Amino acid sequence: MALKEIEYKDSIFSLSYEIINPKESKNLVILHGWGSNKEIMKQAFGKELSKFRHIYIDMPGFGKSSNDLVLTTDDYSKIIKKFLDTLDVSVDVAMGHSFGGKVATLLEPKCLVLLSSAGVLTEKPWSIKLKIATFKLLKPLGFAKIREMFVSPDAANMSQNMYETFKNVVDEDFEASFAKSNSKALLFWGKEDTATPLYTGEKISTLIKDSKFYPLDGDHYFFLKHAKFVSDTITNECKEI
């Protein structure tokens, strides 16, 4: 593990990262999902894709990387780009899980790998809609611990700036960004995923012009069971980049 400081919007971000296969020439940037960190991605792919130089990054506010600002997905992509520039790294392949899939898309890699990516809005259950409406009614009254009562599990134990960041990105419609992508895209999805349902992956596949879609058994973290298949497909499909 290493740390590198990046300046962005007059703030210093200390980013934790790890490089595997440092002598390889093709770069594979690997981004985790919301509430996660680089370790779960390294657990899945650290022993795969031996012909690529892996760059695992804790995105700002996660793992061992710092964040003192309220950010958007666009901010995350710009911070990661600045980080990669300091390493003099071009993005040949960018792989992103869930929230990381949106950031990876904005990196505009030659080959884009999405693992149950976020970015397509889904219909909220009635119970969630009721909770949101109740929260909006109570918030102006200044009740103590309102946030703790209504915050989702994804937002639990967050700092205030990360909670505000979460609100910025959680209901973000990313369809236009997918439609503008010129990357060759490989989409892998868990058939039983409830966080980013299978139909959202199918939708993204129709939006990205040059894409292939691979539904696989499993939930939102299906890739932990299918890392070899995902890796072999990347090796075969992205070998000409």
Side-chain angles (χ1 to χ4, degrees), residues 206-223:
T206 66
L207 293 169
I208 301 178
K209 294 180 286 293
D210 185 5
S211 68
K212 293 184 179 181
F213 186 67
Y214 303 90
L216 300 168
D217 290 336
D219 57 15
H220 197 51
Y221 291 89
F222 72 93
F223 60 89

Side-chain angles (χ1 to χ4, degrees), residues 6 13 23 27 33 39 54 60 94 99 105 108 151 188 225 230:
I6 302 296
F13 294 83
K23 295 183 179 180
N27 297 307
E39 299 305 321
H54 301 200
F99 169 66
T105 300
E108 300 177 326
V151 72
F188 302 89
K225 297 189 298 183
V230 172

Side-chain angles (χ1 to χ4, degrees), residues 72-73 80 136 201 231:
T72 64
T73 302
I80 297 300
K136 288 180 178 178
S231 300

Side-chain angles (χ1 to χ4, degrees), residues 157-176:
N157 302 315
M158 288 182 193
S159 63
Q160 185 61 33
N161 61 294
M162 286 303 292
Y163 179 59
E164 295 299 324
T165 296
F166 175 72
K167 291 196 295 183
N168 281 344
V169 305
V170 67
D171 285 329
E172 191 175 37
D173 186 345
F174 224 65
E175 291 188 18

Side-chain angles (χ1 to χ4, degrees), residues 9-29:
K9 289 188 174 180
D10 298 321
S11 186
I12 299 296
F13 294 83
S14 180
L15 298 187
S16 174
Y17 69 100
E18 184 169 347
I19 295 177
I20 293 177
N21 305 328
K23 295 183 179 180
E24 295 298 327
S25 59
K26 290 184 179 180
N27 297 307
L28 167 63
V29 177

Side-chain angles (χ1 to χ4, degrees), residues 32-187:
H32 59 79
W34 187 270
S36 188
N37 56 59
K38 66 181 182 297
E39 299 305 321
I40 192 170
M41 307 307 291
K42 189 174 69 171
Q43 176 187 336
F45 299 104
K47 295 181 180 179
E48 304 289 347
L49 293 156
S50 61
K51 298 300 182 182
F52 290 88
R53 175 165 54 170
H54 301 200
I55 303 166
Y56 296 90
I57 308 166
D58 280 338
M59 291 195 286
F62 302 103
K64 295 181 173 64
S65 293
S66 65
N67 174 39
D68 297 320
L69 299 182
V70 176
L71 301 173
T72 64
T73 302
D74 185 61
D75 289 325
Y76 273 95
S77 72
K78 289 176 179 175
I79 292 167
I80 297 300
K81 284 178 181 177
K82 289 195 73 171
F83 164 78
L84 294 172
D85 285 344
T86 66
L87 296 181
D88 195 24
V89 166
S90 60
V91 187
D92 297 310
V93 182
M95 176 195 296
H97 173 233
S98 198
F99 169 66
K102 295 193 296 183
V103 180
T105 300
L106 294 182
L107 294 180
E108 300 177 326
K110 298 172 185 175
C111 192
L112 173 65
V113 180
L114 300 180
L115 308 175
S116 281
S117 178
V120 173
L121 297 182
T122 58
E123 182 68 18
K124 291 181 174 62
W126 182 85
S127 59
I128 299 298
K129 291 181 179 178
L130 179 62
K131 183 183 286 189
I132 292 171
T134 304
F135 175 77
K136 288 180 178 178
L137 285 172
L138 294 179
K139 185 178 179 182
L141 301 178
F143 282 94
K145 297 186 177 180
I146 289 295
R147 177 186 153 186
E148 287 80 1
M149 290 167 56
F150 291 96
V151 72
S152 78
D154 280 339
N157 302 315
M158 288 182 193
S159 63
Q160 185 61 33
N161 61 294
M162 286 303 292
Y163 179 59
E164 295 299 324
T165 296
F166 175 72
K167 291 196 295 183
N168 281 344
V169 305
V170 67
D171 285 329
E172 191 175 37
D173 186 345
F174 224 65
E175 291 188 18
S177 296
F178 292 130
K180 287 190 289 187
S181 174
N182 291 316
S183 303
K184 178 174 184 176
L186 307 175
L187 283 65

